[in-house]
């Protein structure tokens, strides 16, 4: 009993650290992008949007990170309760899964081939625009006027 009286604060602090490290480990191993927006993907997108809105304000950024942590905890708790209710086969099924990748294109290969046969200059125009973008980025990096790059 004397040990608990002497070390209660250290024990609580140690428990808090173990829980925090566990949360960080779970969040790091889980996928953060999913076409169906499952798991931590929603929280990650919300964090990115909130940080973009903050515009480098420290208090706003800290609030966004704290909101993201709370969102992650809610995802873990919901996955656990879904497991208890029998909706998930495992307690981690709600946030550790095989992510669904987005479709690479909304058009199938046959439609793309037909379009390129009908408009053969499309590839050349795309290549020209890609080179123009690179030139403009280089001009921006070097603080050069971009007017000389535009035909």
């Amino acid at each position: 009993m004397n040990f608990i009286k002497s070390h209660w604060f250290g024990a609580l602090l140690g428990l808090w650290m173990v829980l925090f490290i566990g949360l960080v480990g779970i969040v790091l191993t889980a996928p953060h992008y999913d076409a169906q927006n499952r798991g931590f993907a929603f929280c990650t997108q919300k964090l990115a949007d909130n940080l973009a809105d903050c515009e480098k304000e420290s208090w706003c950024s800290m609030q966004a990170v704290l909101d993201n942590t709370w969102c992650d905890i809610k995802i873990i708790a919901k996955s656990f309760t879904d497991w208890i209710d029998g909706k998930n086969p495992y307690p981690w099924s709600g946030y550790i899964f095989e992510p669904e990748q987005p479709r690479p294109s909304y058009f199938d290969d046959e439609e793309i081939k037909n379009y390129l046969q009908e408009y053969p200059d499309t590839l050349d125009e795309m290549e020209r625009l890609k080179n123009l973008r690179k030139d403009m980025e280089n001009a921006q990096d070097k603080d050069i006027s971009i007017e000389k790059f535009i035909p």
Side-chain angles (χ1 to χ4, degrees), residues 9 11 17-18 32 58 65 83 103 107 115 134 138 141:
F9 183 74
M17 289 296 292
V18 166
H32 290 272
S58 60
V65 171
W83 174 67
R103 290 178 37 187
F107 305 103
Y115 179 82
K134 287 180 184 177
N138 290 337
D141 290 341

Side-chain angles (χ1 to χ4, degrees), residues 1-150:
M1 190 67 165
N2 196 19
F3 180 80
I4 294 174
K5 286 182 181 179
S6 299
H7 301 289
W8 67 270
F9 183 74
L12 286 178
L13 191 61
L15 178 65
W16 182 84
M17 289 296 292
V18 166
L19 291 175
F20 181 76
I21 291 171
L23 174 68
V24 169
I26 288 171
V27 171
L28 284 177
T29 58
H32 290 272
Y33 186 78
D34 183 48
Q36 296 181 14
N37 211 17
R38 298 175 293 172
F40 297 125
F42 170 75
C43 298
T44 302
Q45 183 60 45
K46 194 168 120 184
L47 174 65
D49 293 341
N50 289 344
L51 287 176
D53 292 342
C54 283
E55 297 179 1
K56 300 180 182 178
E57 295 177 18
S58 60
W59 288 110
C60 179
S61 298
M62 185 177 69
Q63 183 64 41
V65 171
L66 289 174
D67 289 345
N68 181 65
T69 304
W70 184 244
C71 181
D72 291 341
I73 290 170
K74 285 194 235 178
I75 295 292
I76 293 170
K78 177 154 179 30
S79 180
F80 187 76
T81 56
D82 285 350
W83 174 67
I84 297 283
D85 294 340
K87 296 177 185 174
N88 287 341
Y90 304 105
W92 54 84
S93 295
Y95 50 87
I96 296 181
F97 52 85
E98 188 66 35
E100 181 181 323
Q101 299 298 322
R103 290 178 37 187
S105 174
Y106 291 107
F107 305 103
D108 62 359
D109 293 335
E110 187 65 31
E111 286 179 297
I112 293 172
K113 191 187 322 181
N114 290 340
Y115 179 82
L116 291 176
Q117 285 176 353
E118 189 175 334
Y119 303 101
D121 62 336
T122 303
L123 289 175
D124 296 333
E125 183 68 18
M126 288 174 62
E127 188 65 32
R128 187 185 74 77
L129 289 173
K130 189 163 90 173
N131 290 336
L132 180 63
R133 180 187 57 83
K134 287 180 184 177
D135 290 342
M136 291 175 74
E137 285 176 355
N138 290 337
Q140 185 179 16
D141 290 341
K142 295 178 183 174
D143 236 4
I144 299 173
S145 175
I146 61 171
E147 292 160 354
K148 71 177 192 174
F149 294 107
I150 300 175

